[in-house]
Amino acid sequence: MLYIFSGLPGTGKSTLSAALARELRATYLRVDVVEQAMRVAGVWGDGPAGYIVCYELASQNLQLGLDVIADTVNPIRETRQAWRDVAQSLDVPFVEIEVICTDKYEHQHRISSRVVDIPGLVLPTWEEIETRQYEVWDRDHIVIDTAHQTVAESLITLRGKLKMFLRWR
């Protein structure tokens, strides 16, 4: 199964997707890690390269029969479709999960108080997040609002929605 996480920085996407990966013992692909490694290697420029590496790693792990959790902002239709294409090309089920934080003040506080967990990664500012391109979704998907919820509470909400999703497949 491919679990496709999407959402703006600071919504709790990485925390929630990593918690699910630990629980499922799934392969965890975080585009921030890939892109920062590419910067360190001197091969990074703005563009889709980090996503393309993640698509290929996901494909390889899915072919091995492993569940894969993809943690990316996934801001545009093209990247969302590319993740679906990875799963569909292998005839593997997938689920799309958008993580949001509907409380603007809580979201802004998260951004201002975050600690870098990837050496050398420069985190975006609140202004950069507010002006970032992020297209409205054009298809059904699971939405998890992490505002006023602990990680444990968000994970419980996600589990419930995944259970309902899998039942309707």
Side-chain angles (χ1 to χ4, degrees):
M1 174 92 147
L2 176 59
Y3 298 82
I4 306 164
F5 277 81
S6 306
L8 289 171
T11 58
K13 169 184 73 273
S14 294
T15 303
L16 185 57
S17 60
L20 184 63
R22 264 189 305 281
E23 187 173 287
L24 298 178
R25 302 198 48 78
T27 299
Y28 177 65
L29 301 176
R30 183 175 172 191
V31 76
D32 290 342
V33 171
V34 171
E35 290 176 346
Q36 184 58 26
M38 294 172 80
R39 283 184 197 96
V40 169
V43 295
W44 172 253
D46 283 337
Y51 275 75
I52 292 168
V53 169
C54 285
Y55 301 145
E56 293 302 319
L57 289 170
S59 178
Q60 184 68 44
N61 281 278
L62 290 166
Q63 288 176 59
L64 292 172
L66 301 172
D67 287 338
V68 172
I69 295 182
D71 171 6
T72 67
V73 173
N74 215 10
I76 58 176
R77 286 178 188 89
E78 288 80 9
T79 59
R80 295 171 191 161
Q81 183 60 53
W83 281 113
R84 292 189 293 267
D85 291 346
V86 167
Q88 290 168 336
S89 72
L90 299 170
D91 199 27
V92 170
F94 65 91
V95 60
E96 295 172 291
I97 304 156
E98 182 184 22
V99 181
I100 63 172
C101 179
T102 54
D103 183 328
K104 179 179 177 176
Y105 298 105
E106 183 175 340
H107 191 184
Q108 190 171 12
H109 173 72
R110 290 178 187 178
I111 295 304
S112 66
S113 62
R114 286 199 315 176
V115 177
V116 177
D117 64 339
I118 302 169
L121 181 67
V122 176
L123 296 173
T125 65
W126 177 247
E127 292 76 25
E128 290 169 329
I129 291 168
E130 279 194 310
T131 59
R132 184 173 191 148
Q133 177 185 10
Y134 191 84
E135 294 177 1
V136 175
W137 282 74
D138 61 350
R139 57 185 285 129
D140 287 336
H141 63 288
I142 292 174
V143 177
I144 303 294
D145 185 356
T146 62
H148 312 294
Q149 288 197 76
T150 65
V151 176
E153 291 168 333
S154 293
L155 191 55
I156 289 167
T157 301
L158 176 58
R159 276 192 224 114
K161 290 186 176 193
L162 285 170
K163 200 176 286 188
M164 288 177 50
F165 170 82
L166 293 171
R167 192 176 317 143
W168 291 105
R169 287 207 89 218

